[in-house]
Amino acid sequence: MKKLMLFTVIVAISIATKAQQYYDVTKYGAKKDSSTLATKSIAAAIAAASKAGGGTVYFPAGKYLTGPIHLKSNITILIDAGAELHFSDNFDHYLPMVESRYEGVDVFSFSPLFYAYKAENIAIKGRGLINGHGKKWWDYALTFYKNQTARNKYQLLFDSANKNIVLPDDATQMQRGFLRPPFIQPLYCKNVLIEGITITNSPFWTVNPEFCENVTVTGVTINNPKSPNTDGINPSSCRYVHISDCHISVGDDCITIKSGKDVPGRTKAFPAENITITNCTMLSGHGGVVIGSEMSGDVKKVTISNCVFDGTDRGIRIKTTRGRGGVVEDIRVDNIVMKNIRDQAIVLDMEYSKTKPEPVSERTPKFRNIRFSNITAYTKKAMYINGLDEMPVSEISLHDVVFEAETGIVIRNVQDIELRHVRVNTKTGPAVSAEKSSRILIDALSTVKPLMDAPLIRLTDVKEALLTNHWLFDGSHKFADIKGAATSNILLHNNILKGATVTTAADVPTGTVQL
């Protein structure tokens, strides 16, 4: 009996040891001094782990030079403290081209630096560094077309691999045929974890899962210098995504949620949904958290909370344009602090590119049910909401929001918006300016810095508005300025105006404004 028990223990230990076995890349020929390209050695370690049913491919401290790394199911890449992976900037090392996605369009292109296709249970983690050495990619993309006289070998390969791709409305970029690879792109994968690592110098988008399910990105630091399109974390057409405790400073948007562009996105019809973003800090970047403009497959059920943006061009930005189609809906933004925002703190813009109005169709995008609360922002412009003539933004609310800004909130083509307990301190212009909008509730709006020459609220061609529970600070001169022949049903109720005026332009129909 004792022998049987001892045998059982030995077998259990053997199984546990095998399950916990590390596949050290140096045992497969990788050099720790970056003297030799380690791509084949790393692939051999991954293959050995995969053959055993899975395992951890381990990078001890040292510097490794490599080309693309392709993960398989049940593989963890562990980059230990002191380990650095330096990716080659030789474009040939990223051939042959693989199935990929570029700005919402399905293509075959250069292999991403980390790539997985239809894999499950994969991870990239550790306290080490991965460096994409993107400068050669950036410079080539920026200068290549100026001096081009004939299509080069990369473009010819791209042409051959993409004869039947579905093109977006503006196919210019695809037709160029030189598309920089993203740094990390799992494609059609499940159970993806990216944890703890530091990432720098991405050739293109940095962490870019596409068509994935159950993705976690946590404790990651991304530092890209000023550079073209080097977004931080871009989940696209993914569901069940968790982004937390990340520190991001990049050359484009810090975090962006997408779901495909134009006809390619609507054809796939794979939404981005069930996404949480929390406890992150964003520094340099065009936007802190951005949705779109590639959102043709829909973006739904997103929460953004407990984040700090310091130095981004914009804070929260949702953008689209005619031709995209798709819907952005059920978005919650809460408990955010923004400082040194160079443009708008909050943007909802359906005219990201200028186009002419067209009949409502599958090409018409929609923004609806988007809620902002508990936000403090020091910014150039407080907020900009711009819907389409044929499709207004709808069901928007701001609650307990403070803007310290040069200019205030601008609203155009919006239906059903509520501003409750919002404070806007501006240097010029109204705190809130609304145009061509309907059903507006402004409750307890305030400014501690009233301006002599500007009203607190300006309404132009607004239908149905309730201005209520305002208690103006001393020194307020103008409460509301109402104008426009299309104005109707403006009700002012329960306001303490302290002598501030309400002016109604001559073109406003008689009886429209009820004091």
Side-chain angles (χ1 to χ4, degrees), residues 46-66:
I46 292 172
S50 181
K51 185 176 180 181
T56 298
V57 174
Y58 175 63
F59 290 82
K63 293 185 178 181
Y64 304 85
L65 177 64
T66 183

Side-chain angles (χ1 to χ4, degrees), residues 125-343:
K125 59 189 297 187
R127 301 304 300 170
L129 169 74
I130 59 176
N131 189 330
H133 291 277
K135 189 174 188 307
K136 185 177 176 182
W137 295 97
W138 309 331
D139 291 347
Y140 196 78
L142 291 172
T143 63
F144 172 63
Y145 302 108
K146 296 179 182 178
N147 304 315
Q148 181 184 1
T149 57
R151 293 186 79 74
N152 64 21
K153 69 175 183 178
Y154 305 116
Q155 291 176 303
L156 293 173
L157 285 170
F158 184 89
D159 293 345
S160 178
N162 293 283
K163 293 178 179 178
N164 299 311
I165 65 169
V166 180
L167 293 172
D169 290 357
D170 180 2
T172 305
Q173 199 163 37
M174 301 300 129
Q175 291 165 348
R176 289 174 179 172
F178 184 88
L179 309 180
R180 291 167 288 147
F183 205 137
I184 301 173
Q185 189 182 74
L187 192 69
Y188 299 107
C189 293
K190 292 184 179 180
N191 306 330
V192 178
L193 171 64
I194 302 170
E195 180 180 16
I197 57 174
T198 296
I199 310 172
T200 190
N201 293 320
S202 178
F204 183 58
W205 294 353
T206 306
V207 178
N208 177 214
E210 297 273 1
F211 305 111
C212 291
E213 183 174 307
N214 192 20
V215 177
T216 299
V217 183
T218 185
V220 169
T221 298
I222 302 175
N223 285 315
N224 293 325
K226 186 176 181 180
S227 47
N229 312 112
T230 54
D231 298 41
I233 302 172
N234 286 19
S236 180
S237 295
C238 293
R239 59 170 63 104
Y240 313 120
V241 178
H242 322 86
I243 300 170
S244 66
D245 305 288
C246 292
H247 180 76
I248 305 171
S249 182
V250 292
D252 206 323
D253 296 325
C254 294
I255 296 175
T256 305
I257 302 168
K258 299 176 180 288
S259 64
K261 181 188 291 185
D262 301 339
V263 175
R266 295 197 298 273
T267 300
K268 278 293 181 70
F270 199 122
E273 59 184 343
N274 303 310
I275 295 171
T276 64
I277 299 168
T278 190
N279 298 348
C280 294
T281 52
M282 328 286 188
L283 301 184
S284 178
H286 292 334
V289 178
V290 178
I291 297 175
S293 66
E294 299 89 6
M295 40 67 67
S296 302
D298 300 341
V299 176
K300 304 179 179 183
K301 292 168 285 183
V302 178
T303 68
I304 303 162
S305 64
N306 301 344
C307 291
V308 175
F309 308 151
D310 191 349
T312 57
D313 292 349
R314 298 166 187 84
I316 302 295
R317 187 182 191 189
I318 305 176
K319 57 183 180 177
T320 189
T321 190
R322 293 182 178 95
R324 290 284 188 265
V327 60
V328 174
E329 65 181 0
D330 301 332
I331 312 297
R332 288 267 175 179
V333 181
D334 181 67
N335 207 30
I336 307 292
V337 174
M338 307 183 198
K339 194 78 178 284
N340 301 313
I341 304 301
R342 298 185 186 95
D343 207 330

Side-chain angles (χ1 to χ4, degrees), residues 38-53:
T39 312
K40 291 182 179 179
S41 300
I42 296 167
I46 292 172
S50 181
K51 185 176 180 181

Side-chain angles (χ1 to χ4, degrees), residues 5-26:
M5 290 176 63
L6 180 61
F7 175 77
T8 303
V9 170
I10 291 171
V11 170
I13 292 172
S14 176
I15 292 171
T17 301
K18 185 175 181 181
Q20 295 169 12
Q21 183 176 354
Y22 283 8
Y23 295 81
D24 186 332
V25 295
T26 63

